[in-house]
Amino acid sequence: MKNPIVRAVVAVGAGVFAAGAIVILFEMLGHMLFPPPPGIDPTDPDNQARLMELIPTGAKVAVVAAWFCGALAGSVVAAKIGRKPLYAWIIGAIMVALSVVTTMMFPHPAWMVIAAVVLPVVAAAIAIPLARPRFTL
């Protein structure tokens, strides 16, 4: 990939894919550990607001962990492929946007809204040194 535009598109695309895959994996794990209360359909918009009131804090932490780990993995992938820290920041920004949209769909506790903004940025910052090439002798 010598063309910088192709490298940029592949880096961001792969980063978004990796982030999404990790978020899905972690959220599935969270749902296995903390299943929704009986009689509540998490896909029903009318039940979603109630769901946030009923689920334990651990389930909420699992969601926030999914956002962080997804942003971290996606940022590492993007920065490695793109060979520039910029791509980690792009993935971090995309994850902030997606996490904020999620928190706007139905009421979330304030700490989750703050985490939606802060954690993807922190993840991108952590990803940059992790994505640097390592040289061994």
Side-chain angles (χ1 to χ4, degrees):
M1 278 187 288
K2 293 186 182 204
N3 184 323
I5 294 171
V6 172
R7 180 176 294 282
V9 170
V10 171
V12 172
V16 168
F17 180 81
I22 295 298
V23 168
I24 288 169
L25 179 69
F26 271 68
E27 287 194 1
M28 285 173 52
L29 210 82
H31 292 309
M32 287 170 49
L33 294 171
F34 305 101
I40 297 289
D41 178 9
T43 62
D44 179 4
D46 294 332
N47 285 332
Q48 288 174 344
R50 274 191 63 222
L51 185 64
M52 272 303 171
E53 296 170 7
L54 298 174
I55 62 173
T57 302
K60 295 171 189 168
V61 169
V63 170
V64 170
W67 295 341
F68 175 78
C69 292
L72 181 64
S75 294
V76 168
V77 166
K80 274 226 180 257
I81 292 172
R83 297 183 185 164
K84 292 181 183 175
L86 169 67
Y87 300 110
W89 294 119
I90 290 171
I91 299 303
I94 290 169
M95 292 301 291
V96 166
L98 293 173
S99 299
V100 168
V101 166
T102 298
T103 62
M104 293 172 65
M105 294 172 106
F106 54 92
H108 283 68
W111 68 268
M112 286 184 80
V113 176
I114 293 166
V117 174
V118 173
L119 290 182
V121 174
V122 171
I126 292 170
I128 291 167
L130 294 177
R132 285 196 186 112
R134 293 194 174 28
F135 299 102
T136 57
L137 298 176

